[in-house]
Amino acid sequence: LHTVADEDMGWQLATGRYVVQHHQIPRTDVLSFTSAGKPWAYPPSAGVLFYLTYSAFGYAGLSWFCALACLTVVAYLARRGDLGSALLAMFAVQSIAARTAPRADLFSTAFFAFFLGELWGYHRGASSQPWLLPVVMLFWVNLHPGFIAGLAAIGAYLLIEVMDLLFAERRHDVRLRLQRIWPWLAACFAVTLVNPWGWRIYVASLTLSGLAAPPAGRLNSNSFIGEFQGVPISRSLLYQLVDVRHMESGLTWLLLLAVFFVGLFLWKRQLGGALVALVALYLGLAHARYMGLFVITITTLGGTLLSEIFIIGHSKRSATADARQESGNEVGETRPLARVSEGVATIIALVFCGVALLHIADFVSSRTYVVFNADWRFGAGESSWLPERAVAFIRSEQLPGNIFEEYALGGYAAFSLGPHYPDFIDGRGDRLSPDLVAEQLRLYVEGPDSQLWRSEADRWNLNVLLVATSGFRGLQKMDPLAFCQSATWRPVYMDDVSLVFLRNTPQNRPWIDRLQIDCRTQSLAPPAAASRSAMYDFYLNSGALFFELQRDRESESSLRNASAIYPESPSVHVLLASLFQRERSYAEAEREYRASIALNENGGAWYALGCLYANEGRNPEAVEAIERAARESTKPLDMYMTLGRLQIALNHPERALAAFTDAEKNSPFRKGAESLAPELYAEIAEGKSEAQRLLGHWPQAIDFQQKATSLTPAVASRWNRLAKLYEATGEVQSAAEARQRAAALQSPDASR
């Protein structure tokens, strides 16, 4: 049971509201003013259910809905009542909870568990209801595009049966099972067409699942979106096996057990089970989005396997299992590996119950969330990162539209501010407006008075900026102090989790004159009669915002208050380290970074520590820390770029080339979308050019520098560097031409 914080929740609620109010299914975008009217295919039924739940019970109702969905899935996985299934289901709880957030994906998690469980039970000869599969699929295809996971479960079942055909003694039973079940499986495929879009739902499904490649010249959202990233295999992942209080400890154990189960399936000559477990392991490691499906697969298949190979006591059930195996009715003819006494089984159960109680205590106290997930807290209701008060301010003051919000915040804005204020972009943006997503990434690093911001504001008639400042999604790379001091944008609202800016135009002067605030002096009041976790959130968020606004004394005071509430908070230590680093108190900064890493080892803290070492000139230590960061991170692009520069400084050109190559592999602008990020690829090319120069490979160095200049022809410094390379190789004419280009770009006429 935790607060709702999912960034896709809002636009799905808004879609459900639209269906309820207009009694029709939207076939084009009706939420965003930047993509209004563009074709959009997404099953709306889940949004309707969420909206009706919200209308009756608010955000607390959504929290309970998700908690009960998680409970239902786990109960189904443990329904057989055997110890193996129960233990594996306990390992799976956290991953299932993460995939039963208030979004339509929740139904894919639940229905996949049912599909795989019923099909696996049917294959094993256990009680099952295959006739229910097409009924469930009919609901599924109208609730979430992830219905193809159900088809994948059917494919896994058929693979298992086909593999059994390789063994003569199993063929008869396989044929009988297939003869009985094939009409229900065929019906599952047929009912997928019973949806508002017919066969076209498959296109939407493959696209939204990340299985379809992005069109040429478009942002690779599979790289851009965090849940499509892989799970880094690192030392910290192995450490989670013994750190029972770690949020992902159960998932790590299931990853290890999956390998074990593959071996056991092979030993039992169940080739299909081995292949399915192996594919599930690969997909789970390759895409974090599929971790829920992975843990369900391993729990479903592995629970049965454990029950077969480790028999408890001398119960009637055990004797029956032995008899079934001896008669050949049980799939796999091997005897149990071991017979576990009831006393040992009781001890195992007690140990796991003890671990469960420890986890319960950590969840109820919100310690787990403080250490491992900044967006969630124990309890029901809205997450603290959502800018509820800023939204209320915009509505009450009737600020003019249009409103700019960043990608992750757009869904919440679509529901809380819409339909009066359509959103700028939301979680569908990588499909509806991929060019706009790429444009946003450039806006984040530009100054508020830049030409890019002015042109975008004119293009979309932007009048308000709504900025979330807390949680994983806060600020991106935007500089709130620069916006507070901007001539183009004026601050009119600030709290501990959000800022609101109004565009400085004559039409908006009445609001600015009445509402403008000073970010350097605006006070933040703690919530009255708040819970422990709410007070911690206030002080942590305030400390982070004060840091960005360079109100250092207030920042440190707030962070000390947050630390007093939750001393084990790694976020507090990182922010204190950043504060000390800005004050050039490097020893204190290093101590705080390492304290954060000791509490929760992650790529962000390692990268910050590496940058600290680089600032101190401790380049070998910086390289070691940033290499560690890249191995821990799901988005290591910046880390590899920094690593490449450091390797150049250390005169390690081969390692620099490898780092820049890794940066290319982790770019969201690959596979035909390189033109959307010319500066990034120019930096990579220039880095490779310098590495080749250090190696004495002058032709390659010139080729890479030529690529850098072709990508960014208006950057004079790159032409000057190309000229130096030409001069070093005796190409005088080419050097003169390059210097002439650089001089032309640096002339006053060029700036006009």
Side-chain angles (χ1 to χ4, degrees), residues 285-314:
L285 289 173
H287 301 289
R289 183 169 196 160
Y290 300 127
M291 268 303 169
L293 306 186
F294 161 76
V295 300
I296 288 169
T297 302
I298 298 305
T299 302
T300 300
L301 275 62
T304 303
L305 194 59
L306 288 178
S307 299
E308 291 176 358
I309 63 176
F310 297 109
I311 303 299
I312 298 174
H314 298 275

Side-chain angles (χ1 to χ4, degrees), residues 203-269:
V203 178
S205 181
L206 291 171
T207 301
L208 290 165
S209 66
L211 299 177
R218 294 293 179 89
L219 182 76
N220 181 8
S221 60
N222 294 356
S223 176
F224 169 71
I225 298 176
E227 62 183 19
F228 283 122
Q229 304 302 303
V231 176
I233 305 299
S234 61
R235 283 183 293 177
S236 65
L237 185 68
L238 296 177
Y239 177 69
Q240 292 170 21
L241 293 172
V242 296
D243 183 8
V244 296
R245 299 182 77 180
H246 197 286
M247 193 176 192
E248 303 293 346
S249 178
L251 170 61
T252 308
W253 271 102
L254 286 174
L255 291 171
L256 180 63
L257 287 170
V259 179
F260 175 65
F261 290 151
V262 169
L264 284 179
F265 275 124
L266 292 174
W267 175 71
K268 290 176 68 64
R269 298 192 304 162

Side-chain angles (χ1 to χ4, degrees), residues 606-618:
W606 274 113
Y607 182 52
L609 179 61
C611 292
L612 171 67
Y613 288 150
N615 290 339
E616 294 183 273
R618 298 160 61 181

Side-chain angles (χ1 to χ4, degrees), residues 448-483:
D449 297 324
S450 66
Q451 179 58 45
L452 183 59
W453 268 105
R454 287 197 294 269
S455 62
E456 286 299 291
D458 290 338
R459 176 188 178 190
W460 299 112
N461 188 32
L462 300 179
N463 284 292
V464 176
L465 304 184
L466 173 60
V467 181
T469 62
S470 71
F472 288 138
R473 305 161 182 85
L475 288 179
Q476 299 296 325
K477 294 183 179 180
M478 295 175 68
D479 181 357
L481 181 61
F483 279 85

Side-chain angles (χ1 to χ4, degrees), residues 466-714:
L466 173 60
V467 181
T469 62
S470 71
F472 288 138
R473 305 161 182 85
L475 288 179
Q476 299 296 325
K477 294 183 179 180
M478 295 175 68
D479 181 357
L481 181 61
F483 279 85
C484 284
Q485 297 174 342
S486 165
T488 307
W489 301 92
R490 303 308 304 139
V492 294
Y493 178 85
M494 181 174 105
D495 60 35
D496 56 298
V497 299
S498 56
L499 285 162
V500 177
F501 298 93
L502 198 58
R503 192 178 182 192
N504 192 3
T505 63
Q507 295 83 358
N508 295 336
R509 285 307 307 179
W511 283 283
I512 294 175
D513 291 341
R514 182 167 55 87
L515 301 172
Q516 182 171 315
I517 61 173
D518 187 343
C519 296
R520 297 169 299 179
T521 59
Q522 182 74 11
S523 61
L524 300 177
S531 65
R532 179 190 181 204
S533 60
M535 290 301 296
Y536 163 81
D537 287 339
F538 169 77
Y539 285 120
L540 176 69
N541 296 332
S542 298
L545 181 55
F546 286 147
F547 171 79
E548 296 291 341
L549 298 175
Q550 297 187 14
R551 296 165 61 171
D552 291 357
R553 289 186 179 179
E554 294 166 283
S555 176
E556 183 173 359
S557 175
S558 293
L559 293 174
R560 297 294 185 192
N561 287 335
S563 183
I565 298 173
Y566 281 108
E568 59 271 76
S569 167
S571 300
V572 170
H573 288 292
V574 165
L575 289 167
L576 284 172
S578 301
L579 191 60
F580 291 140
Q581 186 173 349
R582 186 158 68 192
E583 296 172 349
R584 299 183 183 274
S585 300
Y586 295 135
E588 290 85 348
E590 179 179 357
R591 184 182 67 246
E592 293 294 340
Y593 280 133
R594 291 203 169 274
S596 177
I597 291 169
L599 290 163
N600 179 22
E601 190 167 357
N602 64 85
W606 274 113
Y607 182 52
L609 179 61
C611 292
L612 171 67
Y613 288 150
N615 290 339
E616 294 183 273
R618 298 160 61 181
N619 286 349
E621 293 169 276
V623 166
E624 182 181 354
I626 295 175
E627 285 179 339
R628 186 73 173 268
R631 289 193 296 268
E632 299 285 350
S633 177
T634 58
K635 294 184 178 181
L637 170 61
D638 291 341
M639 299 168 188
Y640 282 123
M641 292 295 293
T642 304
L643 191 59
R645 299 184 192 106
L646 284 171
Q647 297 289 15
I648 292 288
L650 289 169
N651 198 25
H652 295 158
E654 296 94 346
R655 297 177 186 175
L657 283 172
F660 287 124
T661 299
D662 286 333
E664 277 187 291
K665 292 178 181 177
N666 286 277
S667 166
F669 302 101
R670 62 181 188 273
K671 297 182 179 179
E674 290 83 358
S675 60
L676 297 177
E679 178 60 30
L680 169 64
Y681 285 96
E683 289 181 18
I684 292 174
E686 194 163 51
K688 288 184 174 182
S689 172
E690 179 61 12
Q692 295 287 3
R693 185 191 70 80
L694 292 174
L695 289 168
H697 301 160
W698 293 98
Q700 292 91 332
I702 290 174
D703 286 344
F704 278 119
Q705 192 62 29
Q706 286 175 336
K707 181 179 180 181
T709 56
S710 66
L711 288 168
T712 54

